[in-house]
Amino acid sequence: RNETMLANNNLKHKDIGTTIKARHNKSAVHQKQLHFVDLGSGDGTAVLAASSLGWRATGIEMNPTLWLMSSIRRLLSNNKKTRINSELKIGDMFDASISQSSLRNANCTMIFGVAPLMPRISNMIETECRTGCWIMSYRFRVPLANGYDVVKNKKDQASVG
């Protein structure tokens, strides 16, 4: 069963890496290296933040301009961990050849989707993400078919309900 966290528009991308690391440190799952996947990675801020903390981070972006911007930011990063631990892919997140292997290994998956795509994204998450993967959605509710849905709490995060 996937635990889901919803981050609203007030959450700053720069805080995401710290947020997922802090959350994971509290979990019982410990691995040599954690894997973060960002579906719709935009300018790469979340991917670069996670990778700078030691996460192996993969971003998937279909907009060539945003992918190029994130790739340049990665190459120009002064943090060696960021350059080594991050990978930025250009393409459609629904293309299994691009996202499937990344999602199956992810400890945490972040989604920046649009409302009409959320049911399709939810289906992909339930099919491809492993049990225990922590899901974050930057803006829209993630309707999980298994009955575990996003419920807002006081801190603009959500718990499985």
Side-chain angles (χ1 to χ4, degrees), residues 26 54 115:
K26 294 178 183 177

Side-chain angles (χ1 to χ4, degrees), residues 66-93:
L66 290 172
W67 173 83
L68 181 60
M69 184 185 333
S70 62
S71 297
I72 291 169
R73 290 182 68 207
R74 177 183 170 267
L75 291 172
L76 295 177
S77 172
N78 291 327
N79 187 328
K80 187 176 179 181
K81 277 186 189 177
T82 299
R83 292 189 307 275
I84 292 171
N85 293 330
S86 62
E87 175 183 22
L88 298 160
K89 299 178 180 182
I90 186 167
D92 184 346
M93 72 175 85

Side-chain angles (χ1 to χ4, degrees), residues 36-38 41 44-52 55 57-60 82 85-88:
F36 174 83
V37 175
D38 189 356
S41 57
T45 301
V47 172
L48 301 178
S51 64
S52 71
W55 288 67
T58 303
I60 301 170
T82 299
N85 293 330
S86 62
E87 175 183 22
L88 298 160

Side-chain angles (χ1 to χ4, degrees), residues 1 5-6 9 29 41 58 74 89 93 110 146 153 161:
R1 130 181 161 184
M5 176 186 136
L6 174 69
N9 288 326
V29 178
S41 57
T58 303
R74 177 183 170 267
K89 299 178 180 182
M93 72 175 85
M110 180 169 171
N146 63 9
N153 69 24

Side-chain angles (χ1 to χ4, degrees), residues 68-131:
L68 181 60
M69 184 185 333
S70 62
S71 297
I72 291 169
R73 290 182 68 207
R74 177 183 170 267
L75 291 172
L76 295 177
S77 172
N78 291 327
N79 187 328
K80 187 176 179 181
K81 277 186 189 177
T82 299
R83 292 189 307 275
I84 292 171
N85 293 330
S86 62
E87 175 183 22
L88 298 160
K89 299 178 180 182
I90 186 167
D92 184 346
M93 72 175 85
F94 297 110
D95 181 343
S97 67
I98 294 172
S99 63
Q100 192 175 57
S101 64
S102 297
L103 287 173
R104 288 192 175 158
N105 294 313
N107 300 94
C108 180
T109 299
M110 180 169 171
I111 304 150
F112 186 91
V114 293
L117 291 179
M118 293 315 281
R120 189 171 175 202
I121 292 170
S122 295
N123 183 56
M124 183 173 65
I125 288 168
E126 290 180 315
T127 304
E128 302 301 331
C129 289
R130 66 183 177 182
T131 300

